[in-house]
Amino acid sequence: MTSRIVVIPTRRAHSNHAEVARSIGVDIIAGRYAEGTRLPGDAEMIAMFGVSRPVLRESVKTLVAKGLLTTKARVGTVVRERGAWNMFDADVLAWHLDAGIDKRFLNDLAEIRLAVEPRAAMLAATQRSEEDISELRRCMDRMRREASDSVGFADADLALHVGVARASGNLFMRSVGHVIEAALRASFLLSAPVETEDRETVLLWHQRIVDAIVAGDADAASEAMVYVIHNGMRRHDSTVIETAPADPLPSTDTGEQA
């Protein structure tokens, strides 16, 4: 498969200020506005987007709240360093999918999953309800029915992982699972086990997660989850590589400040 940066289109915003925020956010994430770059002034951006000043200001406030921008007196609106971005914000994650996800994004996602999901599986083994068990089994049944490279397979895979987080009984883990849902779905689509041997391995180890949770074996549930995540990382390595960032837009040193 040709190495590439992969774009996963997401649903568009429903309001003018949200759409402007999305457009600027995608440009920042794609590197068209580099870290430390000052955005164009109000007049230029109002003309660019065809919106009113209040709509533009609301969009900027949204991006400031999400950690992508900062506003400074006598300086203007400046792109913040990547480390300040709120990666648990659902919009920020969605904008990454619009901008294009690469190996760095997938590795970072896998690392946070390794920090959370094995522990969630351990807790699920002791906290799960009969309803939780039924849901996990339904997810496995659907994974077996769906073609490996189908959206249905990815959705069933995602539902199983969200189901484990829910079965953990920990509200924070449940919230993390829902917040990164879009990114996980994209990850599962990219790591689809198209080869027969890969598919059987994926199904086997997901079943081991479910079986361990049903049996109340916390250690086995955690170990199976770790294997599943590492196996997904291995398949990503053969699909996507680091990609050079997009050409940045020219910095703006004059003009009205946003």
Side-chain angles (χ1 to χ4, degrees), residues 73-93:
R74 295 185 296 277
V75 174
T77 304
V78 179
V79 177
R80 297 188 68 185
E81 68 279 7
R82 184 177 293 268
W85 301 354
N86 181 6
M87 291 301 297
F88 285 108
D89 183 274
D91 287 334
V92 175
L93 282 170

Side-chain angles (χ1 to χ4, degrees), residues 70-145:
T70 184
T71 56
K72 301 177 181 179
R74 295 185 296 277
V75 174
T77 304
V78 179
V79 177
R80 297 188 68 185
E81 68 279 7
R82 184 177 293 268
W85 301 354
N86 181 6
M87 291 301 297
F88 285 108
D89 183 274
D91 287 334
V92 175
L93 282 170
W95 298 340
H96 273 82
L97 305 186
D98 280 335
I101 56 177
D102 57 13
K103 188 175 179 181
R104 175 183 177 182
F105 178 91
L106 292 170
N107 284 343
D108 286 349
L109 177 61
E111 286 171 2
I112 192 63
R113 292 181 63 200
L114 285 169
V116 174
E117 289 196 80
R119 180 62 179 172
M122 291 185 72
L123 290 173
T126 60
Q127 302 293 329
R128 80 285 187 274
S129 65
E130 289 303 317
E131 182 180 352
D132 292 325
I133 291 173
S134 296
E135 172 61 18
L136 295 177
R137 285 172 170 164
R138 280 194 295 270
C139 293
M140 282 304 312
D141 289 342
R142 186 179 177 193
M143 286 180 71
R144 288 194 174 88
R145 292 196 307 269

Side-chain angles (χ1 to χ4, degrees), residues 3-249:
S3 298
R4 65 196 187 282
I5 193 166
V6 180
V7 177
I8 311 290
T10 58
R11 290 181 296 178
R12 291 297 181 257
H14 296 295
S15 65
N16 285 342
H17 92 263
E19 178 57 29
V20 172
R22 187 200 70 82
S23 181
I24 297 172
V26 170
D27 281 343
I28 291 171
I29 291 166
R32 287 185 281 272
Y33 289 117
E35 297 175 19
T37 298
R38 185 160 68 89
L39 293 188
D42 278 7
E44 183 176 343
M45 298 197 76
I46 287 170
M48 183 187 306
F49 293 109
V51 296
S52 65
R53 189 181 300 272
V55 168
L56 177 62
R57 290 296 176 89
E58 190 65 27
S59 303
V60 169
K61 286 181 182 178
T62 295
L63 293 167
V64 168
K66 296 177 186 298
L68 274 67
L69 294 176
T70 184
T71 56
K72 301 177 181 179
R74 295 185 296 277
V75 174
T77 304
V78 179
V79 177
R80 297 188 68 185
E81 68 279 7
R82 184 177 293 268
W85 301 354
N86 181 6
M87 291 301 297
F88 285 108
D89 183 274
D91 287 334
V92 175
L93 282 170
W95 298 340
H96 273 82
L97 305 186
D98 280 335
I101 56 177
D102 57 13
K103 188 175 179 181
R104 175 183 177 182
F105 178 91
L106 292 170
N107 284 343
D108 286 349
L109 177 61
E111 286 171 2
I112 192 63
R113 292 181 63 200
L114 285 169
V116 174
E117 289 196 80
R119 180 62 179 172
M122 291 185 72
L123 290 173
T126 60
Q127 302 293 329
R128 80 285 187 274
S129 65
E130 289 303 317
E131 182 180 352
D132 292 325
I133 291 173
S134 296
E135 172 61 18
L136 295 177
R137 285 172 170 164
R138 280 194 295 270
C139 293
M140 282 304 312
D141 289 342
R142 186 179 177 193
M143 286 180 71
R144 288 194 174 88
R145 292 196 307 269
E146 299 283 355
S148 299
D149 58 352
S150 68
V151 172
F153 187 92
D155 284 345
D157 193 349
L158 170 61
L160 189 147
H161 286 267
V162 172
V164 171
R166 184 181 300 112
S168 75
N170 185 295
L171 295 177
F172 290 98
M173 289 183 178
R174 291 170 63 175
S175 295
V176 169
H178 285 296
V179 167
I180 64 175
E181 186 171 329
L184 282 177
R185 183 170 180 271
S187 173
F188 295 158
L189 283 169
L190 293 173
S191 63
V194 292
E195 301 296 332
T196 300
E197 184 176 353
D198 278 346
R199 175 183 172 87
E200 292 306 314
T201 298
V202 166
L203 292 174
L204 170 65
W205 282 92
H206 279 76
Q207 185 64 61
R208 288 186 178 182
I209 293 172
V210 175
D211 290 345
I213 290 173
V214 172
D217 190 335
D219 289 338
S222 176
E223 291 168 4
M225 183 66 77
V226 169
Y227 183 92
V228 163
I229 297 170
H230 278 297
N231 189 46
M233 293 174 69
R234 176 186 62 78
R235 295 199 305 280
H236 286 151
D237 285 341
S238 64
T239 305
V240 183
I241 64 168
E242 293 281 3
T243 304
D247 293 335
L249 294 172

